[in-house]
Amino acid sequence: QVTLKESGPALVQPTETVTLTCTFSGFSLSTPGMRVNWVRQPPGKALEWLGRIDWDDEKRYSASLRTRLSISKDTYSDQVVLIFSNVDPSDTAAYFCARSSGVGASRDAFDIWGQGTMVTVSS
Amino acid sequence: DIQMTQSPASLSASVGDRVTVTCRASQLLSSYLHWYQQKPGRAPKLLIYAASSLQTGVPSRFSGGQSGTDFTLTISGLQPEDFATYFCQQTYKTPFTFGQGTKLEI
């Protein structure tokens, strides 16, 4: 069974750096084509893709957030880490990680999602 | 960035109805278009991938279609558990982008 679970602080101060961890099981991020994506959703709003990391450590980021985001992986511990710097109240959102595959018929659809973790940015 | 224009923003329907949600892409996507269902406080769930392929375990009353840059999600015979918000997503090119969502209400 494939699962992903996000963890991190629920409340952070403006200008701080936030570290979110996605711990997954049931698949390997060493498998060719495998990817883990980060998506966020402000309360009552639409989904926004933040970035992804691939099995070969290639990374892609949202252009608007590129300077504040960093995604890394620890293949041995089956974790992906999102570091988000200089946060602002507008970054308040539920943050999700989701699996996709860049090979095969799925066309990179996000087939399994974590439950999400709510991050509130407030002083 | 590829823009995804989803309509309608909200939709009222009854159990047993047939409803259709539309997403229009700002450019051709081949079939790199997917549909998700999201219920309050929950993560999105993949329903349809590659425009028209039904994800394993999803009821056959859900179907997807494509005509050029227009994509549709149709639910035939609404069930009480189908009242939720639906999003489209393109994965043709990064940054991957989502539609604004369609809230399906009773």
Side-chain angles (χ1 to χ4, degrees):
Chain A
Q1 181 188 9
V2 173
T3 65
L4 300 95
K5 186 174 183 179
E6 307 84 352
S7 58
L11 179 65
V12 298
Q13 305 265 355
T15 75
E16 284 187 344
T17 294
V18 178
T19 299
L20 301 178
T21 301
C22 175
T23 303
F24 57 88
S25 64
F27 70 97
S28 173
L29 198 42
S30 297
T31 301
M34 203 57 64
R35 294 168 169 165
V36 172
N37 300 266
W38 284 95
V39 176
R40 71 178 178 180
Q41 185 175 37
K45 296 191 177 180
L47 300 160
E48 179 185 14
W49 180 80
L50 303 179
R52 76 166 193 235
I53 189 164
D54 295 0
W55 67 282
D56 58 359
D57 210 36
E58 181 171 340
K59 300 155 194 175
R60 297 284 179 93
Y61 298 101
S62 165
S64 63
L65 297 170
R66 176 187 302 275
T67 59
R68 297 198 291 138
L69 284 179
S70 175
I71 300 175
S72 61
K73 65 181 175 75
D74 184 337
T75 306
Y76 299 103
S77 63
D78 288 344
Q79 291 184 328
V80 170
V81 174
L82 173 73
I83 298 175
F84 201 178
S85 64
N86 193 27
V87 296
D88 175 85
S90 64
D91 296 315
T92 294
Y95 286 77
F96 299 95
C97 57
R99 183 186 78 159
S100 68
S101 174
V103 298
S106 69
R107 299 284 199 268
D108 240 336
F110 296 3
D111 64 340
I112 307 293
W113 294 63
Q115 63 189 24
T117 186
M118 184 68 200
V119 178
T120 300
V121 182
S122 175
S123 55
Chain B
D1 298 1
I2 297 175
Q3 306 302 315
M4 304 301 301
T5 303
Q6 186 172 342
S7 61
S10 63
L11 183 56
S12 294
S14 302
V15 172
D17 284 355
R18 180 175 185 268
V19 298
T20 297
V21 179
T22 299
C23 252
R24 174 166 290 174
S26 59
Q27 67 173 77
L28 289 172
L29 303 178
S30 183
S31 60
Y32 286 75
L33 187 287
H34 321 293
W35 291 97
Y36 301 86
Q37 176 193 67
Q38 187 179 31
K39 296 183 178 179
R42 305 290 296 273
K45 172 188 172 184
L46 179 64
L47 299 176
I48 301 286
Y49 65 92
S52 59
S53 295
L54 194 66
Q55 176 68 352
T56 302
V58 174
S60 58
R61 61 181 180 272
F62 292 90
S63 62
Q66 175 184 2
S67 176
T69 58
D70 291 342
F71 298 83
T72 56
L73 170 70
T74 298
I75 313 172
S76 301
L78 275 171
Q79 296 300 301
E81 60 269 28
D82 299 337
F83 292 94
T85 300
Y86 294 85
F87 293 95
C88 62
Q89 178 206 28
Q90 67 80 19
T91 57
Y92 182 70
K93 189 182 296 186
T94 58
F96 297 158
T97 45
F98 293 87
Q100 290 300 301
T102 295
K103 186 173 183 180
L104 179 55
E105 301 173 300
I106 300 175

